[in-house]
Amino acid sequence: MQTYLDHLVVERGLAANTLTSYRRDLRRYAAFLATREVDRVDAVGPADVAEFLMRLREGDEEHRPLGASSAARTVVAVRGFHKFALREGLSAHDPAAQVKPPAPPQRLPKALPLSDVEAILSAAAAGGTALSSRDAALLEFLYGTGARISEAVGLDIDDLDLDSGLVRLLGKGSKERIVPLGSYAAQACGSYLTRSRPQLAAKGKAGGAVFLNGRGGRLSRQSAWAVLARTAERAGVGAAVSPHTLRHSFATHLLDGGADVRVVQELLGHASVTTTQVYTLVTVDRLREVYATTHPRALG
């Protein structure tokens, strides 16, 4: 194990904090193997590694149970150690190859209440300048289409058809999809493209980009993020808000309104409906809340 740790320092340049965690994890692993009277790396079997993972999650007299992320880090250290031992000829087999780290708990996406979204969009439209017009168009576009921030800043004028109310988005893996553009987003984008974008484009080489920065170039992801953060602060929305929050809100509000999950899948550009179904967990909570507050016999 010490040879492996030395390798991580010299060959991999592992950070000091990470190395400390690996050393602690491997010491715990060695102590566990000692209780099973295993004192050679080539004597470790898959059952030993699997039992160690179980002990991590359940805890013992000396250790509290570890959460999925902490247990996963420990398993990564153990798997790396056995891969190293196999590669260096210290063992003829890798007993950890089939032991997978525990999956982290599924985190529910955080969606804003509709009132917060409306407050942000109203604040964006209140400026009266070319940049505030751009901000309003950008945020209406993000919430109106559920686009990723990369899809929004990568948007070109040819991708936007305001007459038909459709937009072409280039998603992950260069996959294109066509999504509808709501009337509020279409109006905000139309006003920006007609009145404000030409002012910004005159300051630089805009190319075909829809959303421009103050110097006339394509708006960056970081700048788009800052636009939303500033606007949310002006709107008095205290929750942490990111462009992805608007995407989450778009999906959640659609499902709350009765949209089919497969339709939302297409709108979001998810390759699998499984990815989209995490939003249904949010709406189930909403259903439970509505039931509890409205059904005459929901509460005792």
Side-chain angles (χ1 to χ4, degrees):
M1 286 182 175
Q2 186 57 52
T3 303
Y4 173 57
L5 292 170
D6 292 342
H7 162 78
L8 293 178
V9 174
V10 177
E11 300 295 333
R12 299 271 302 279
L14 219 60
N17 288 342
T18 305
L19 189 68
T20 299
S21 296
Y22 271 40
R23 181 177 289 110
R24 181 174 60 248
D25 295 337
L26 291 176
R27 281 176 177 167
R28 180 171 177 178
Y29 182 48
F32 165 78
L33 292 176
T35 65
R36 296 169 72 89
E37 298 183 350
V38 176
D39 57 4
R40 300 190 326 275
V41 64
D42 60 349
V44 179
D48 296 313
V49 183
E51 177 69 18
F52 177 64
L53 174 58
M54 188 177 72
R55 292 284 183 88
L56 291 175
R57 300 307 308 276
E58 294 180 350
D60 53 37
E61 294 180 357
E62 297 181 6
H63 303 92
R64 59 179 177 79
L66 293 184
S69 58
S70 296
R73 187 207 62 223
T74 303
V75 172
V76 167
V78 170
R79 283 166 58 91
F81 165 64
H82 282 292
K83 282 184 181 178
F84 173 80
L86 178 65
R87 188 171 64 247
E88 295 296 309
L90 304 174
S91 177
H93 66 289
D94 181 355
Q98 301 304 316
V99 179
K100 304 300 182 185
Q106 197 171 38
R107 298 182 183 274
L108 295 181
K110 295 180 180 179
L112 294 172
L114 180 57
S115 58
D116 281 358
V117 174
E118 290 176 335
I120 290 171
L121 298 178
S122 295
T129 66
L131 287 177
S132 65
S133 174
R134 177 209 63 191
D135 295 350
L138 172 66
L139 299 185
E140 286 281 7
F141 180 84
L142 287 170
Y143 177 65
T145 63
R148 301 177 178 92
I149 187 61
S150 57
E151 295 169 345
V153 298
L155 194 71
D156 288 332
I157 292 177
D158 291 343
D159 298 324
L160 198 58
D161 188 342
L162 296 179
D163 292 333
S164 64
L166 296 174
V167 60
R168 180 176 60 199
L169 298 176
L170 187 64
K172 291 183 177 180
S174 298
K175 293 182 179 178
E176 289 187 358
R177 68 185 187 281
I178 305 295
V179 300
L181 191 67
S183 60
Y184 285 88
Q187 182 178 356
C189 288
S191 176
Y192 160 69
L193 290 173
T194 302
R195 302 173 187 173
S196 301
R197 186 184 180 280
Q199 298 178 36
L200 298 175
K203 300 179 181 180
K205 297 180 180 180
V210 170
F211 297 110
L212 305 181
N213 59 32
R215 300 180 303 280
R218 186 183 294 272
L219 189 69
S220 68
R221 293 178 54 170
Q222 293 79 4
S223 296
W225 189 297
V227 165
L228 177 55
R230 288 196 306 266
T231 308
E233 185 177 0
R234 287 204 312 272
V237 176
V241 181
S242 72
H244 223 62
T245 309
L246 291 184
R247 180 169 159 88
H248 292 326
S249 303
F250 165 85
T252 302
H253 296 167
L254 278 173
L255 289 167
D256 278 342
D260 183 88
V261 67
R262 292 194 177 274
V263 173
V264 178
Q265 173 198 354
E266 292 294 329
L267 291 172
L268 292 175
H270 286 162
S272 169
V273 73
T274 304
T275 310
T276 316
Q277 282 174 335
V278 66
Y279 293 100
T280 64
L281 301 176
V282 179
T283 58
V284 166
D285 287 341
R286 172 64 179 156
L287 288 174
R288 190 178 292 117
E289 176 188 339
V290 171
Y291 176 82
T293 56
T294 59
H295 194 280
R297 299 182 69 83
L299 300 175

